[in-house]
Coordinates of all heavy atoms in Angstrom, one line a residue:
M1 N 95.1 -32.7 53.3 CA 93.9 -33.2 52.6 C 93.5 -32.1 51.6 O 93.4 -31.0 51.9 CB 92.8 -33.4 53.6 CG 91.6 -33.9 52.9 SD 90.6 -35.1 54.0 CE 91.9 -36.1 54.6
R2 N 93.3 -32.6 50.3 CA 92.9 -31.7 49.3 C 91.4 -31.5 49.2 O 90.7 -32.4 49.5 CB 93.4 -32.1 47.9 CG 94.9 -31.9 47.7 CD 95.3 -32.2 46.3 NE 94.6 -33.4 45.8 CZ 94.0 -33.5 44.6 NH1 94.1 -32.5 43.8 NH2 93.5 -34.6 44.2
S3 N 91.0 -30.3 48.8 CA 89.5 -30.2 48.6 C 89.4 -29.6 47.2 O 90.3 -29.0 46.7 CB 88.9 -29.2 49.6 OG 89.5 -27.9 49.5
A4 N 88.2 -29.8 46.6 CA 87.9 -29.3 45.3 C 86.5 -29.0 45.2 O 85.6 -29.5 45.9 CB 88.3 -30.4 44.3
W5 N 86.2 -28.0 44.3 CA 84.8 -27.7 44.0 C 84.2 -28.8 43.1 O 84.9 -29.3 42.2 CB 84.7 -26.4 43.2 CG 85.2 -25.2 44.0 CD1 86.4 -24.6 43.9 CD2 84.6 -24.6 45.1 NE1 86.5 -23.6 44.9 CE2 85.4 -23.6 45.6 CE3 83.3 -24.8 45.8 CZ2 85.0 -22.8 46.7 CZ3 83.0 -24.0 46.8 CH2 83.8 -23.0 47.3
V6 N 83.0 -29.1 43.4 CA 82.3 -30.1 42.6 C 81.9 -29.4 41.2 O 81.4 -28.3 41.3 CB 81.0 -30.6 43.3 CG1 80.3 -31.6 42.4 CG2 81.4 -31.3 44.6
L7 N 82.1 -30.1 40.1 CA 81.7 -29.5 38.8 C 80.4 -30.1 38.4 O 80.1 -31.3 38.7 CB 82.8 -29.9 37.8 CG 84.2 -29.4 38.0 CD1 85.1 -29.7 36.8 CD2 84.2 -27.9 38.2
C8 N 79.6 -29.3 37.8 CA 78.3 -29.8 37.3 C 78.5 -30.9 36.2 O 79.3 -30.7 35.3 CB 77.6 -28.6 36.6 SG 76.1 -29.1 35.7
P9 N 77.8 -32.0 36.3 CA 78.0 -33.1 35.4 C 77.5 -32.8 34.0 O 77.9 -33.4 33.0 CB 77.2 -34.3 36.0 CG 76.3 -33.7 37.0 CD 76.9 -32.4 37.4
F10 N 76.7 -31.7 33.8 CA 76.2 -31.3 32.5 C 77.1 -30.3 31.8 O 77.5 -30.5 30.7 CB 74.8 -30.8 32.7 CG 73.8 -31.8 32.9 CD1 73.2 -31.9 34.2 CD2 73.4 -32.8 32.0 CE1 72.2 -32.9 34.5 CE2 72.5 -33.8 32.3 CZ 71.9 -33.8 33.5
C11 N 77.3 -29.2 32.5 CA 78.0 -28.1 31.9 C 79.4 -27.8 32.4 O 80.1 -26.9 31.9 CB 77.2 -26.8 32.0 SG 77.1 -26.2 33.7
Q12 N 79.9 -28.6 33.4 CA 81.2 -28.5 33.9 C 81.5 -27.2 34.7 O 82.6 -26.9 35.0 CB 82.3 -28.7 32.9 CG 82.1 -30.0 32.0 CD 82.1 -31.3 32.9 OE1 82.9 -31.4 33.7 NE2 81.2 -32.1 32.6
A13 N 80.4 -26.5 34.9 CA 80.6 -25.2 35.7 C 80.9 -25.6 37.2 O 80.4 -26.6 37.7 CB 79.4 -24.4 35.6
K14 N 81.6 -24.7 37.8 CA 81.9 -24.9 39.2 C 80.6 -24.6 40.0 O 79.9 -23.6 39.8 CB 82.9 -23.9 39.7 CG 84.3 -24.5 39.9 CD 85.2 -23.4 40.6 CE 86.6 -23.5 40.0 NZ 87.4 -22.4 40.5
T15 N 80.3 -25.5 40.9 CA 79.1 -25.3 41.8 C 79.7 -24.7 43.1 O 80.9 -24.6 43.3 CB 78.4 -26.6 42.1 OG1 79.2 -27.5 42.8 CG2 77.9 -27.2 40.8
K16 N 78.8 -24.5 44.1 CA 79.2 -23.9 45.3 C 79.4 -25.0 46.4 O 79.6 -24.7 47.6 CB 78.1 -22.9 45.9 CG 77.8 -21.8 44.9 CD 77.8 -20.5 45.5 CE 77.4 -19.4 44.6 NZ 78.5 -19.0 43.7
T17 N 79.5 -26.2 45.9 CA 79.7 -27.4 46.8 C 81.2 -27.8 46.7 O 81.8 -28.0 45.7 CB 78.8 -28.5 46.4 OG1 77.5 -28.1 46.4 CG2 79.0 -29.7 47.3
K18 N 81.8 -28.0 47.9 CA 83.2 -28.4 48.0 C 83.3 -29.8 48.6 O 82.5 -30.1 49.4 CB 84.0 -27.4 48.9 CG 85.2 -26.8 48.3 CD 85.9 -25.9 49.2 CE 87.1 -25.3 48.5 NZ 87.9 -24.5 49.4
I19 N 84.2 -30.6 48.0 CA 84.4 -31.9 48.6 C 85.9 -32.1 48.9 O 86.7 -31.5 48.3 CB 83.9 -33.0 47.7 CG1 84.6 -32.9 46.3 CG2 82.4 -33.1 47.6 CD1 84.5 -34.1 45.4
L20 N 86.1 -33.0 49.8 CA 87.5 -33.5 50.1 C 87.8 -34.7 49.3 O 87.0 -35.4 48.7 CB 87.7 -33.7 51.6 CG 87.4 -32.6 52.5 CD1 87.4 -33.0 53.9 CD2 88.3 -31.5 52.3
D21 N 89.1 -35.0 49.2 CA 89.6 -36.2 48.5 C 88.8 -37.5 48.9 O 88.5 -38.3 48.0 CB 91.1 -36.5 48.9 CG 92.0 -35.8 48.0 OD1 91.6 -35.3 47.0 OD2 93.2 -35.8 48.3
D22 N 88.5 -37.6 50.2 CA 87.8 -38.9 50.6 C 86.3 -38.6 50.9 O 85.7 -39.4 51.7 CB 88.5 -39.5 51.8 CG 88.6 -38.5 53.0 OD1 88.2 -37.3 52.8 OD2 89.1 -38.9 54.0
S23 N 85.8 -37.6 50.4 CA 84.3 -37.3 50.6 C 83.5 -38.3 49.9 O 83.8 -38.7 48.8 CB 84.0 -35.9 50.2 OG 84.5 -35.0 51.0
I24 N 82.4 -38.7 50.5 CA 81.4 -39.5 49.8 C 80.1 -38.9 50.0 O 79.6 -38.6 51.1 CB 81.4 -41.0 50.4 CG1 82.7 -41.7 50.1 CG2 80.2 -41.8 49.8 CD1 82.8 -43.0 50.8
L25 N 79.4 -38.6 48.8 CA 78.1 -38.0 48.8 C 77.2 -39.0 48.1 O 77.5 -39.5 47.0 CB 78.0 -36.7 48.1 CG 79.0 -35.5 48.6 CD1 78.8 -34.3 47.7 CD2 78.7 -35.2 50.0
L26 N 76.1 -39.3 48.7 CA 75.1 -40.2 48.1 C 73.8 -39.5 48.0 O 73.3 -38.9 48.9 CB 75.0 -41.5 48.9 CG 76.2 -42.4 49.0 CD1 75.9 -43.5 49.9 CD2 76.6 -42.9 47.6
R27 N 73.2 -39.5 46.8 CA 71.9 -38.9 46.5 C 72.0 -37.4 47.0 O 71.1 -37.0 47.7 CB 70.8 -39.6 47.2 CG 70.7 -41.1 46.8 CD 70.3 -41.2 45.3 NE 70.1 -42.6 44.9 CZ 71.0 -43.3 44.4 NH1 72.2 -42.9 44.1 NH2 70.7 -44.6 44.0
F28 N 73.1 -36.7 46.6 CA 73.2 -35.4 47.1 C 72.6 -34.4 46.1 O 72.8 -34.5 44.9 CB 74.7 -35.1 47.2 CG 75.0 -33.7 47.7 CD1 75.0 -33.4 49.1 CD2 75.3 -32.6 46.8 CE1 75.3 -32.2 49.5 CE2 75.6 -31.4 47.3 CZ 75.6 -31.1 48.7
P29 N 71.8 -33.5 46.6 CA 71.1 -32.5 45.7 C 72.1 -31.4 45.3 O 72.2 -30.4 46.0 CB 69.9 -32.0 46.5 CG 70.4 -32.1 47.9 CD 71.3 -33.3 48.0
L30 N 72.8 -31.5 44.2 CA 73.8 -30.6 43.8 C 73.1 -29.5 42.9 O 72.4 -29.8 42.0 CB 74.8 -31.3 42.9 CG 75.9 -30.5 42.3 CD1 76.9 -30.0 43.4 CD2 76.7 -31.2 41.3
Y31 N 73.3 -28.2 43.3 CA 72.7 -27.1 42.6 C 73.8 -26.5 41.7 O 74.9 -26.2 42.1 CB 72.2 -26.1 43.5 CG 71.6 -24.9 42.8 CD1 70.3 -25.0 42.2 CD2 72.3 -23.7 42.6 CE1 69.7 -24.0 41.5 CE2 71.7 -22.7 42.0 CZ 70.4 -22.8 41.4 OH 69.9 -21.8 40.7
C32 N 73.4 -26.4 40.4 CA 74.3 -25.7 39.4 C 73.8 -24.3 39.2 O 72.7 -24.2 38.7 CB 74.4 -26.5 38.1 SG 75.4 -25.6 36.9
P33 N 74.7 -23.3 39.4 CA 74.2 -21.9 39.2 C 74.1 -21.6 37.7 O 73.4 -20.7 37.3 CB 75.3 -21.1 39.8 CG 76.5 -22.0 40.0 CD 76.0 -23.4 40.0
R34 N 74.8 -22.4 36.8 CA 74.6 -22.1 35.4 C 73.4 -22.7 34.8 O 72.6 -22.1 34.1 CB 75.9 -22.5 34.6 CG 75.9 -22.0 33.2 CD 77.0 -22.6 32.4 NE 78.3 -22.0 32.8 CZ 79.5 -22.5 32.3 NH1 79.5 -23.5 31.5 NH2 80.6 -22.0 32.7
C35 N 73.2 -24.0 35.1 CA 72.0 -24.7 34.7 C 70.7 -24.2 35.4 O 69.6 -24.4 35.0 CB 72.1 -26.2 34.9 SG 73.4 -27.0 34.0
K36 N 71.0 -23.6 36.6 CA 69.9 -23.1 37.4 C 69.0 -24.2 37.9 O 67.8 -24.1 37.9 CB 69.1 -22.0 36.8 CG 69.9 -20.7 36.7 CD 69.1 -19.5 36.2 CE 69.7 -18.2 36.3 NZ 71.2 -18.2 35.9
K37 N 69.5 -25.4 38.1 CA 68.7 -26.4 38.6 C 69.5 -27.4 39.6 O 70.7 -27.3 39.6 CB 68.1 -27.2 37.5 CG 69.1 -28.0 36.7 CD 68.3 -28.8 35.6 CE 69.3 -29.6 34.8 NZ 68.6 -30.5 33.8
E38 N 68.7 -28.1 40.3 CA 69.3 -29.1 41.2 C 69.2 -30.4 40.6 O 68.3 -30.8 40.0 CB 68.4 -29.0 42.5 CG 69.1 -29.2 43.8 CD 68.2 -29.0 45.0 OE1 67.3 -29.9 45.1 OE2 68.3 -28.1 45.7
M39 N 70.3 -31.2 40.8 CA 70.3 -32.6 40.3 C 70.9 -33.5 41.4 O 71.7 -33.1 42.2 CB 71.1 -32.7 39.0 CG 72.6 -32.2 39.2 SD 73.2 -31.6 37.6 CE 72.8 -29.9 37.8
K40 N 70.4 -34.7 41.3 CA 70.9 -35.7 42.3 C 72.2 -36.3 41.8 O 72.2 -36.9 40.7 CB 69.8 -36.7 42.5 CG 69.3 -36.8 44.0 CD 68.5 -38.0 44.2 CE 67.0 -37.7 43.9 NZ 66.1 -38.9 44.1
V41 N 73.2 -36.3 42.7 CA 74.5 -36.9 42.3 C 75.0 -37.8 43.4 O 74.7 -37.6 44.6 CB 75.5 -35.8 41.9 CG1 75.1 -35.0 40.7 CG2 75.8 -34.9 43.1
D42 N 75.9 -38.7 43.1 CA 76.7 -39.4 44.0 C 78.2 -38.9 43.7 O 78.5 -38.7 42.6 CB 76.7 -40.9 43.8 CG 75.4 -41.5 44.1 OD1 74.6 -40.9 44.7 OD2 75.2 -42.7 43.6
V43 N 78.9 -38.7 44.8 CA 80.3 -38.4 44.6 C 81.2 -39.3 45.4 O 81.0 -39.4 46.6 CB 80.7 -36.9 45.0 CG1 82.1 -36.6 44.8 CG2 79.8 -35.9 44.2
I44 N 82.0 -40.1 44.7 CA 82.8 -41.1 45.4 C 84.2 -41.0 44.9 O 84.5 -41.1 43.7 CB 82.3 -42.6 45.1 CG1 80.8 -42.7 45.6 CG2 83.2 -43.6 45.7 CD1 80.1 -43.8 45.0
Q45 N 85.1 -40.7 45.8 CA 86.6 -40.6 45.5 C 86.8 -39.5 44.4 O 87.5 -39.8 43.4 CB 87.2 -41.9 45.1 CG 87.2 -42.8 46.4 CD 87.9 -44.2 46.1 OE1 87.8 -44.6 45.0 NE2 88.4 -44.8 47.1
G46 N 86.1 -38.4 44.5 CA 86.3 -37.3 43.5 C 85.6 -37.5 42.2 O 85.7 -36.6 41.4
I47 N 84.9 -38.6 42.0 CA 84.2 -38.8 40.7 C 82.7 -38.5 40.9 O 82.1 -39.0 41.9 CB 84.5 -40.2 40.2 CG1 86.0 -40.4 39.9 CG2 83.7 -40.4 38.9 CD1 86.4 -41.8 39.6
I48 N 82.1 -37.8 40.0 CA 80.7 -37.4 40.2 C 79.9 -38.3 39.3 O 80.1 -38.4 38.1 CB 80.5 -35.9 39.8 CG1 81.4 -35.0 40.6 CG2 79.1 -35.6 39.9 CD1 81.6 -33.7 40.0
Y49 N 78.9 -38.9 39.9 CA 78.0 -39.8 39.2 C 76.6 -39.2 39.2 O 76.1 -38.9 40.3 CB 77.9 -41.2 39.8 CG 79.3 -41.9 39.9 CD1 80.0 -41.8 41.0 CD2 79.7 -42.7 38.8 CE1 81.3 -42.5 41.1 CE2 80.9 -43.3 38.9 CZ 81.7 -43.2 40.0 OH 82.9 -43.8 40.1
F50 N 76.1 -39.0 38.0 CA 74.7 -38.4 38.0 C 73.7 -39.5 38.2 O 73.8 -40.6 37.6 CB 74.5 -37.8 36.6 CG 73.1 -37.3 36.4 CD1 72.6 -36.2 37.1 CD2 72.3 -37.9 35.5 CE1 71.3 -35.7 36.9 CE2 71.0 -37.4 35.3 CZ 70.5 -36.4 36.0
C51 N 72.7 -39.2 39.1 CA 71.7 -40.2 39.4 C 70.5 -39.8 38.6 O 69.9 -38.7 38.8 CB 71.3 -40.2 40.9 SG 72.7 -40.3 42.0
S52 N 70.0 -40.7 37.7 CA 68.9 -40.3 36.9 C 67.6 -40.3 37.6 O 66.6 -39.6 37.3 CB 68.8 -41.3 35.7 OG 68.7 -42.6 36.2
Q53 N 67.5 -41.0 38.7 CA 66.3 -41.0 39.5 C 66.4 -40.2 40.8 O 67.3 -40.4 41.6 CB 66.0 -42.5 39.8 CG 64.5 -42.7 40.2 CD 63.5 -42.2 39.2 OE1 62.9 -41.2 39.6 NE2 63.4 -42.7 38.1
Ligands
LIG101 ZN1 75.4 -27.0 35.0

C-alpha cells in the first residue's frame, strides 16, 4: 500500500498529513504550513477537493 503526503490545494506545498491510496477524508481540516491556515478538504482516491464551505 502506497502512502503520500497531501499537497495544499492552493500552493502545492507538502502538508504534514499523510494518506494511503485508498484513504477517504471528508470535510478534513487540512493545515498548510506555507499558507499558515486550515482549509476544509475532501480526499478521495488520492485526489484533493477543496470544500468552499
Ligand atoms: Zn498552502
